[in-house]
Amino acid sequence: MTEVASANHLSRISRLDLVIGKLHQLIPDMLEFSFETCTEGTLAEKCKLVIDWRPVIVTCRDCNNRSEIIDSIFICPLCGSFRLNTESGKELFIKSITGE
Ligand SMILES: [Zn+2]
């Protein structure tokens, strides 16, 4: 992140937008706390962290039903099958970095 800042001649990073799939099971409070700790004394100190949480969406291989997984229970709500394909929820990337 600091490499991006220096490559773009930024003296400070003010906002970081992340996309995180819920499949990673990260706890928002824990994430913010470790982010604060990691950025202390860097260009990103006091930077605003904005997270776009993506739901876990699966498609059933038996009945083709598409549903959202809540509470990590990987069962098709329509037919009870465990044979699911994960379509979204695995995302983990930086959407944008804002600085000045
Ligand atoms: Zn199903």
Side-chain angles (χ1 to χ4, degrees), residues 4-22:
V4 176
S6 56
N8 290 284
H9 310 288
L10 299 174
S11 58
R12 196 178 156 263
I13 294 169
S14 53
R15 180 182 163 137
L16 178 67
D17 284 76
L18 298 180
V19 175
I20 304 177
K22 288 185 178 172

Side-chain angles (χ1 to χ4, degrees), residues 61-98:
R61 275 187 268 167
D62 288 322
C63 73
N64 271 327
N65 175 55
R66 199 167 179 269
S67 54
E68 181 178 349
I69 295 294
I70 297 162
D71 297 332
S72 304
I73 301 164
F74 283 81
I75 301 173
C76 172
L78 213 64
C79 74
S81 171
F82 293 99
R83 298 174 2 103
L84 307 172
N85 286 336
T86 309
E87 287 187 20
S88 103
K90 292 181 192 167
E91 299 85 349
L92 187 62
F93 60 90
I94 296 173
K95 191 159 73 177
S96 69
I97 295 175
T98 313

Side-chain angles (χ1 to χ4, degrees), residues 3 5 8 22 28 32 40 53 59 75 80 96:
E3 295 82 36
N8 290 284
K22 288 185 178 172
E32 276 170 34
E40 232 172 56
W53 295 98
T59 302
I75 301 173
S96 69

Side-chain angles (χ1 to χ4, degrees), residues 17-34:
D17 284 76
L18 298 180
V19 175
I20 304 177
K22 288 185 178 172
L23 205 58
H24 294 286
Q25 302 194 323
L26 294 170
I27 300 156
D29 286 350
M30 289 279 286
L31 190 69
E32 276 170 34
F33 177 75
S34 33

